[in-house]
Amino acid sequence: MSPALTIRVYSEGALAQAAGKLRAGELVAFPTETVYGLGADATNKDAVAGIFAAKQRPSFNPLISHFPDRDAAARHAVFDDRADKLAAAFWPGALSLVLPKRDDSTICDLTTAGLPSIAVRVPAHDIARALLRAADRPIAAPSANRSGRISPTTAGHVAASLGNAVSMILDGGPCGVGLESTVVDLTTDRVVLLRPGGITAEQISAVLGCDVVMAETDDDAPKSPGMMSSHYAPGLPVRLNATTPDRTIGDEVLLAFGPDCATGGFAQVLWLSKSGNDREAAANLFAVLHQADQCRVKGIAICPIPDNGLGIAINDRMKRAAAPRG
């Protein structure tokens, strides 16, 4: 039987307790600037297995390892000039780099799904970095929710999704970005965007002075989280690019974006951004999806969102939420 879940608002005592639980091989959910992460000691295969069990996550889907700074990450990953430039430009921040794994890295194979590469990130959230320093080891941390479900941006979202499957939630309030990190693959000569996120392809290209290639969806052997076609899925069916209600479905809740979004005829309307601000929409995305999934309707309709800037990442999440479910 799982122990009772502990939820503690951030304090020095709560931080010390969370770090101790991580070192002991337990699961701790904690805030980052993107979403809440489900953390485990990345060097402890049993602890990492606990992540997969709690999330009911496919074991072939690799996890991102989190570090307090670039030098700590470089003890496990091989940095080239491109990686150093991106780390200098965007770390700490919402960018994960997939790099060759060092031969002497102690991070377990389950964290990297047996790949010769490793995904690394230095988060910008002060509580996350303090926890990483206190735990004094790399922390594998996917989003703190059941696999394929909506990512959590509050401690309450984590508790509702995972319950006693997690030992402790370190409550640092709502996440500021609300969209997972951008993931970039630098293991070949090409710069490949594996997952869109808070750092755009245009920003990455500007720093490196080269083109950024978009990766294809991979349901068999994804190199990064967020690459499977059905992901971020609420319980209700999702319909994209909705401009009018679909009466064949029945009552729908509309996720609305922008001043020109037509809201007439929908049973309920929840706003991603009334002004059409993609950063506001990204920050609201998962919280609004959680809210929509609790509505007494037959489906979720999503207003068209321009496919540029952060809209690319938002549309990527929505396409996965709307994908057929296995």
Side-chain angles (χ1 to χ4, degrees):
M1 184 174 178
S2 300
L5 168 64
T6 299
I7 304 176
R8 291 194 62 184
V9 174
Y10 171 76
S11 66
E12 289 299 321
L15 182 74
Q17 182 183 10
K21 285 180 175 292
L22 287 170
R23 289 193 296 271
E26 298 181 42
L27 302 184
V28 174
F30 61 94
T32 76
E33 74 277 21
T34 55
V35 298
Y36 271 72
L38 178 60
D41 178 356
T43 69
N44 181 335
K45 68 179 187 303
D46 293 328
V48 175
I51 291 178
F52 291 107
K55 286 180 65 68
Q56 300 175 7
R57 183 188 185 98
S59 61
F60 49 76
N61 203 347
L63 306 176
I64 296 169
S65 294
H66 294 69
F67 301 87
D69 53 53
R70 180 264 180 208
D71 289 345
R75 289 195 282 272
H76 298 272
V78 179
F79 280 67
D80 60 12
D81 289 343
R82 300 172 302 170
D84 281 330
K85 287 179 180 178
L86 291 178
F90 300 116
W91 278 1
L95 177 69
S96 296
L97 301 176
V98 177
L99 304 172
K101 184 179 177 182
R102 288 178 59 96
D103 291 340
D104 58 352
S105 172
T106 56
I107 289 177
C108 70
D109 287 342
L110 189 57
T111 300
T112 60
L115 297 170
S117 58
I118 181 172
V120 295
R121 180 163 95 91
V122 176
H125 200 290
D126 289 342
I127 292 176
R129 295 179 72 198
L131 179 61
L132 291 166
R133 288 191 292 268
D136 193 28
R137 59 202 62 195
I139 300 300
S143 57
N145 55 279
R146 297 285 183 188
S147 185
R149 305 298 288 183
I150 307 168
S151 297
T153 55
T154 68
H157 293 162
V158 179
S161 186
L162 294 178
N164 290 341
V166 58
S167 176
M168 177 180 175
I169 302 173
L170 184 60
D171 186 354
C175 298
V177 176
L179 195 69
E180 290 98 330
S181 64
T182 300
V183 182
V184 176
D185 180 14
L186 298 177
T187 59
T188 69
D189 291 339
R190 299 192 310 164
V191 178
V192 182
L193 187 68
L194 298 181
R195 182 177 73 184
I199 307 298
T200 67
E202 291 80 7
Q203 289 174 292
I204 294 165
S205 180
V207 169
L208 297 181
C210 66
D211 292 334
V212 176
V213 179
M214 181 70 73
E216 298 293 332
T217 293
D218 190 339
D219 278 349
D220 297 318
K223 206 170 189 178
S224 159
M227 292 184 70
M228 297 179 72
S229 58
S230 179
H231 208 59
Y232 315 102
L236 292 170
V238 175
R239 186 168 64 90
L240 303 178
N241 297 315
T243 56
T244 59
D246 186 339
R247 299 303 181 191
T248 66
I249 294 174
D251 287 345
E252 292 178 300
V253 56
L254 176 69
L255 272 57
F257 176 89
D260 298 327
C261 182
T263 60
F266 289 94
Q268 291 179 251
V269 177
L270 300 175
W271 284 96
L272 293 169
S273 172
K274 287 187 177 181
S275 65
N277 183 294
D278 61 357
R279 186 169 295 276
E280 180 185 18
N284 290 335
L285 177 62
F286 289 123
V288 171
L289 266 177
H290 277 285
Q291 189 178 351
D293 209 26
Q294 299 305 310
C295 292
R296 295 179 178 275
V297 293
K298 298 296 185 181
I300 299 171
I302 300 174
C303 179
I305 298 171
D307 204 34
N308 52 54
L310 287 179
I312 295 173
I314 295 168
N315 286 326
D316 173 79
R317 300 303 188 275
M318 295 300 92
K319 287 174 185 175
R320 297 177 195 277
R325 302 170 195 178

